[in-house]
Amino acid sequence: MNVASAPPAAAEPPAAASPGPGPGPGPTAATAATATHGLPARLSLTPVERFMLDDDRPSHPMTGIHELVVRGRLDDDLLAGALEAARRRHPLLCRIVDDSGREPVWVPAPADMTVAVDRAPAGTPRTHPLGHWLDVRREIGLRVWVRDEEPDADGTPVCRLSAAVHHSVADALGGITFLLDLFAHLSAALGGVPVPAPPDPERVLHRGQLYEPSGLLPGLPKGRLGVWGHLLIGARRMKRTKTLPLAPGSRGKPVSAKPPPGADAEAAGVPPVDAVSPPRTVSFTEAETHGLRAAAKARGMTLNDLLLRDVFLTVREHNARYDNAGATLDGSPAAVRINVPVNLRDEADLPAALRRSQSRGVRGGGLTVVNKIGMALVTRPTALADDPEALLRSVHEEMSWVRQTERGRRFVEAVLLSYRLLKRPPGGMFDGTCYATAVLSNIGDLSRVIPPELRDERGRLHAPAADPADALTVTEYATGSPGRALTRATVLAASYGGRLQLHLRTDPEEIAPEDAAAFSADLAARVRRSAAG
């Protein structure tokens, strides 16, 4: 099975930098109907989707990577059928972006455009041949590949299944939603559990409802001058204290997330992202994970509060090694600023397993695969790290306030104001400087998201089969994102199978591999100290 999405038919051939495989099955009335899902042919991008599109670049692709180690025989035809069936449940996975007009819009992908699977034997590089960059103007925002591994001691086949999802299409929870659907279809094809009812595609029309009411968001001043004033106050607040970048910078090397046409990236002299900045995973034992949760509970706090505090402390200690503990290059005061993504889904949007209402047991409905997050920028002076307990209390209080006031919507508000009033991406508001030292995204405990029928006794993703010997189990899960330019470190936290894991990516053009390894080791040691109490 071979490479990614096919390019759309066009009057001119697509750019050579975006190759794809040959056409799939010819167009039919059924596939055309599925492509629109009964929705308008042209869907405007939400502000966050447009921000992710504008912030996308080959060296810093706006993609989320999900990597699953699957135990069991994952047949090519089985996977291809389940992949196509799961993809067609979600409108944005059946569309591409048309940016030929004044504003970009989602339009149905050509009926012969598919997402094929690149499969290779053990020993093949784990990265997809086309890299992580997805050009959603010419291909569907999903890429899937499989690398076979050595079988288990008992001869059971093992493979590594990876999916890259463009952030204009989905955030981390959206990507996981797709994977759950994929395994539901795999199980159904194996005679296991039936496929659940699909989500309501019309809810896609409301995926931007938090930030598209008339007059922008509740609480904003009325009138154009008032809105401009609000924007300027926020910009001044951001610039009052400069963001301290992760040190040491300018020690990386140029990279490419997409090989040149007809050439391997390394052969062309420009290494791929993973060759310079490979994903780094720190796995904690079940005992350590339990200790960390117990430490948070004893303080009346969350696991995320502890992780956020520990990221602040690690950045301060790491930067101190390079005489960059609390000031910028020009000597002006600086603070550590952590970008914390915030889920903006309401109750009706959540997967059934996360709903508190009586509809929790019904998997139908809910929001389809989309990106519906905001961001909270949590800023602290480096001196506060001198008292770890005080720092912990302060981030707990702020994150509690963020949840209560939905402050994560302020990021969306800034994005919307920028596009409406400045007519440019929000990055322009920060003068091309670093506005976040690092990102900390906590996906949470995945056992709470996996529906009971697809969850084994250890809380892992599992595709039951009529013959137990044909069942598929995800024994390991990892995730990550190459990260945006100017933000030098991205930390994603997720608990799977009772174990917490931290997945770190650093900016390959700024941070050298040895410095990334040191930061990862420092963060792991700091979190383990927190787990020990």
Side-chain angles (χ1 to χ4, degrees):
M1 306 174 71
N2 199 15
V3 299
S5 305
E12 299 178 353
S18 301
T28 65
T31 56
T34 303
T36 60
H37 296 82
L39 303 174
R42 300 172 69 82
L43 296 176
S44 296
L45 274 67
T46 66
V48 167
E49 291 168 358
R50 189 173 173 186
F51 173 65
M52 295 298 177
L53 180 68
D54 287 339
D55 205 28
D56 190 25
R57 63 205 74 188
S59 61
H60 298 82
M62 288 292 102
T63 54
I65 313 298
H66 303 266
E67 189 175 83
L68 294 72
V69 176
V70 182
R71 187 177 189 274
R73 186 173 301 282
L74 186 58
D75 178 76
D76 284 355
D77 292 336
L78 172 70
L79 176 59
L83 170 61
E84 189 66 5
R87 179 180 72 83
R88 290 194 175 278
R89 290 163 64 95
H90 301 286
L92 296 189
L93 289 177
C94 297
R95 292 183 177 242
I96 58 176
V97 171
D98 177 2
D99 64 351
S100 61
R102 292 182 59 186
E103 295 185 353
V105 295
W106 292 108
V107 297
D112 61 352
M113 182 179 287
T114 61
V115 177
V117 178
D118 179 82
R119 189 158 195 165
T124 305
R126 282 163 56 173
T127 304
H128 192 280
L130 296 181
H132 294 326
W133 185 58
L134 283 157
D135 185 355
V136 291
R137 300 168 182 84
R138 291 180 171 85
E139 56 187 317
I140 292 166
L142 171 67
R143 186 170 290 159
V144 178
W145 63 103
V146 177
R147 298 293 177 260
D148 292 311
E149 303 277 328
E150 295 298 326
D152 272 357
D154 62 0
T156 302
V158 176
C159 68
R160 195 174 296 270
L161 169 66
S162 299
V165 188
H166 198 281
H167 283 323
S168 288
V169 174
D171 53 23
L173 185 54
I176 291 169
T177 298
F178 167 75
L179 293 172
L180 295 179
D181 275 353
L182 174 63
F183 270 73
H185 281 278
L186 288 171
S187 180
L190 292 169
V193 299
V195 176
D200 180 1
E202 288 196 1
R203 286 197 62 79
V204 170
L205 299 175
H206 307 291
R207 68 196 188 284
Q209 63 186 359
L210 285 181
Y211 31 91
E212 288 291 0
S214 59
L216 304 179
L217 293 178
L220 280 180
K222 304 300 181 182
R224 188 176 183 86
L225 290 179
V227 171
W228 267 104
H230 179 84
L231 175 60
L232 291 174
I233 290 171
R236 291 193 187 108
R237 187 183 300 118
M238 283 288 298
K239 292 181 177 181
R240 192 172 300 147
T241 302
K242 293 184 179 180
T243 302
L244 186 68
L246 186 69
S250 304
R251 288 175 51 158
K253 61 177 65 176
V255 297
S256 172
K258 192 178 183 71
D264 180 89
E266 291 180 277
V270 183
V273 173
D274 282 3
V276 178
S277 177
R280 303 176 188 279
T281 298
V282 177
S283 297
F284 299 90
T285 66
E286 291 187 34
E288 289 171 333
T289 303
H290 176 77
L292 197 62
R293 289 175 174 156
K297 185 176 181 180
R299 293 174 169 88
M301 298 181 183
T302 68
L303 180 77
N304 199 59
D305 294 334
L306 282 179
L307 292 178
L308 183 54
R309 188 273 307 267
D310 288 350
V311 170
F312 272 113
L313 291 174
T314 304
V315 168
R316 204 282 292 268
E317 294 168 358
H318 179 85
N319 278 15
R321 296 177 182 171
Y322 305 98
D323 297 323
N324 192 24
T328 54
L329 292 177
D330 62 6
S332 60
V336 176
R337 182 172 281 132
I338 308 298
N339 183 348
V340 182
V342 179
N343 182 17
L344 295 181
R345 290 166 173 80
D346 59 27
E347 183 77 0
D349 293 334
L350 292 173
L354 293 182
R355 295 181 201 150
R356 298 184 180 90
S357 66
Q358 294 181 354
S359 64
R360 175 173 177 165
V362 181
R363 287 207 62 220
L367 196 61
T368 179
V369 169
V370 297
N371 188 329
K372 197 169 183 180
I373 60 168
M375 296 180 188
L377 297 175
V378 184
T379 305
R380 292 293 181 277
T382 57
L384 192 56
D386 292 336
D387 188 340
E389 287 301 315
L391 176 60
L392 179 59
R393 288 192 298 271
S394 75
V395 297
H396 167 71
E397 291 170 359
E398 180 163 352
M399 291 309 299
S400 296
W401 182 70
V402 166
R403 288 188 292 270
Q404 293 166 7
T405 63
E406 296 185 335
R407 182 182 145 206
R409 295 166 62 178
R410 187 168 295 175
F411 166 79
V412 183
E413 163 196 314
V415 172
L416 181 56
L417 288 169
S418 180
Y419 280 121
R420 286 192 179 179
L421 303 180
L422 301 180
K423 308 301 181 185
R424 65 184 184 188
M429 293 189 295
F430 305 110
D431 298 326
T433 61
C434 169
Y435 72 85
T437 310
V439 175
L440 172 63
S441 178
N442 187 0
I443 301 173
D445 187 347
L446 297 190
S447 67
R448 297 179 57 239
V449 181
I450 303 171
E453 65 270 19
L454 295 177
R455 190 171 63 224
D456 72 3
E457 68 281 356
R458 294 180 58 186
R460 303 178 302 184
L461 182 57
H462 176 74
D467 182 348
D470 294 332
L472 301 168
T473 301
V474 176
T475 58
E476 299 177 31
Y477 170 82
T479 185
S481 175
R484 71 179 304 277
L486 307 178
T487 298
R488 295 178 180 172
T490 301
V491 180
L492 284 88
S495 294
Y496 187 76
R499 301 175 61 190
L500 172 68
Q501 291 185 321
L502 300 180
H503 309 282
L504 171 69
R505 297 298 294 258
T506 53
D507 187 337
E509 297 190 338
E510 292 287 340
I511 304 297
E514 59 270 22
D515 298 320
F519 181 79
S520 178
D522 290 346
L523 180 58
R526 168 61 63 181
V527 173
R528 286 194 166 97
R529 287 198 290 273
S530 293

